[in-house]
Amino acid sequence: MCEAPSKSPTSASSSEDVALPDHIPSPRTMLKNNPRYVLYIHLVINDITLMTMLTLLQLLSYDSVNVSLCILLVLLASAADFNNPLTLVFMAVECYIAVCYPLQHSLICTVKKTYFVIAFIWFICALNLLPDVFSAWATEPPEFFLSHVLCLKLNVIRVPYVAEKDTIVDAAVMALVWLTLIYAYLRILFTAKSAAADARKARNTVLLHSFQLLLSMLTYVYFVILIGLFSLFPGSRRAARFALTVLIIIMPRLISPLVYGLRDKTFRKYLKQHIFCAKDVQ
């Protein structure tokens, strides 16, 4: 993962300036006090939420579901899916600041500001999703929300403009995210030419963010492929939907956080401690 360039060690003769810590912070405290890990935990929580909601939707697809319950599940799944690329781009920005502005990094990237960023992500998400729900409540009769349908967004949010709005918002968000990632990568790439190992490591981290984003973008072609499979295999719609959900949505969410977490030395160290029940694992 990206790190700010390390400072040169001070002389050993100035022993009076060296202070031993009163206590060694616990792994939970260290992770909670690091903005990078706060963003990573938010990313994992979104992925867990998305996989949980999609698993429920897949199980419920074998029968009709109450419309109100379906709206809730679809809303949670859509929110987790929408938050994923925005979290990735802020993680890339944090790497960019750590490498290109190492002296200002601790002032710019604080835990308090990180929580503000997370709140901002959810605010943008709410602005995108809640109008769809309010429009459905305003246009559908009350008995519709007590009825049962196949739980798909197009079956419960039947407002005509929603599909076009989703396409425009998704295109705008993806364009902004990709422009930010490319800019951060190029700036880090130029910094990496100065032979700084941390800068080269940050460059690889931004590339990993781009790979994660490519995986998350597969959800945008989900319904296109699904409709094609329905036309090819009209008698196996549930099986086609299940296989496509596993390959396009669930598998990328399982792979990307695992790869991102295990390549970080600090995270890997504490993970080994929990797995092997050891106090200190190198």
Side-chain angles (χ1 to χ4, degrees):
M1 292 181 60
C2 51
E3 298 178 358
S6 57
K7 299 178 181 179
S8 59
T10 57
S11 175
S13 59
S14 57
S15 59
E16 65 273 12
D17 296 333
V18 179
L20 295 176
D22 295 333
H23 65 282
I24 299 176
S26 64
R28 180 178 298 180
T29 302
M30 292 185 63
L31 297 179
K32 288 174 62 177
N33 292 336
N34 190 319
R36 187 174 305 147
Y37 296 118
V38 173
L39 286 173
Y40 172 67
I41 292 170
H42 181 252
L43 177 70
V44 173
I45 290 175
N46 275 280
D47 287 335
I48 292 174
T49 302
L50 179 62
M51 289 189 294
T52 302
M53 293 301 104
L54 290 177
T55 302
L56 288 175
L57 290 173
Q58 182 63 38
L59 293 175
L60 294 174
S61 66
Y62 292 94
D63 197 2
S64 58
V65 183
N66 178 266
V67 171
S68 299
L69 176 61
C70 180
I71 290 177
L72 177 61
L73 296 177
V74 169
L75 194 65
L76 290 174
S78 300
D81 186 50
F82 184 84
N83 291 343
N84 187 282
L86 295 180
T87 304
L88 287 175
V89 75
F90 279 110
M91 294 172 73
V93 170
E94 189 273 336
C95 283
Y96 159 73
I97 296 174
V99 174
C100 298
Y101 302 97
L103 299 180
Q104 293 85 9
H105 177 262
S106 60
L107 298 176
I108 298 175
C109 300
T110 63
V111 175
K112 183 177 180 180
K113 292 180 180 178
T114 304
Y115 285 123
F116 175 79
V117 166
I118 293 175
F120 175 75
I121 291 175
W122 280 95
F123 176 73
I124 297 298
C125 177
L127 288 181
N128 177 44
L129 297 178
L130 290 183
D132 299 343
V133 179
F134 294 149
S135 298
W137 283 343
T139 56
E140 299 289 354
E143 55 270 15
F144 171 73
F145 299 98
L146 300 177
S147 62
H148 290 71
V149 297
L150 180 63
C151 191
L152 294 173
K153 184 176 181 179
L154 54 87
N155 290 339
V156 294
I157 307 293
R158 302 185 296 184
V159 183
Y161 78 90
V162 168
E164 297 179 1
K165 187 267 295 179
D166 287 344
T167 302
I168 295 173
V169 171
D170 291 340
V173 170
M174 285 299 108
L176 178 62
V177 168
W178 276 110
L179 288 175
T180 305
L181 286 175
I182 293 173
Y183 175 79
Y185 176 78
L186 292 177
R187 289 295 304 270
I188 294 174
L189 180 64
F190 294 146
T191 305
K193 291 182 178 179
S194 62
D198 291 333
R200 291 195 296 270
K201 195 173 183 181
R203 178 194 61 189
N204 295 333
T205 299
V206 175
L207 281 178
L208 181 58
H209 290 326
S210 302
F211 175 68
Q212 289 178 277
L213 185 62
L214 283 174
L215 292 179
S216 65
M217 287 179 65
L218 291 175
T219 56
Y220 296 121
V221 297
Y222 174 83
F223 286 105
V224 177
I225 300 178
L226 186 63
I227 292 174
L229 291 177
F230 282 174
S231 61
L232 292 175
F233 307 101
S236 305
R237 292 195 171 191
R238 289 189 175 91
R241 185 183 178 188
F242 175 78
L244 196 63
T245 300
V246 172
L247 292 176
I248 286 187
I249 299 179
I250 294 181
M251 288 303 296
R253 261 60 185 193
L254 289 175
I255 294 173
S256 58
L258 186 64
V259 172
Y260 183 86
L262 291 181
R263 68 187 295 268
D264 179 71
K265 292 181 180 179
T266 304
F267 187 86
R268 186 168 62 246
K269 174 184 175 181
Y270 292 129
L271 182 62
K272 288 181 179 179
Q273 290 182 10
H274 283 283
I275 291 176
F276 298 105
C277 300
K279 293 183 178 181
D280 190 13
V281 179
Q282 300 296 330

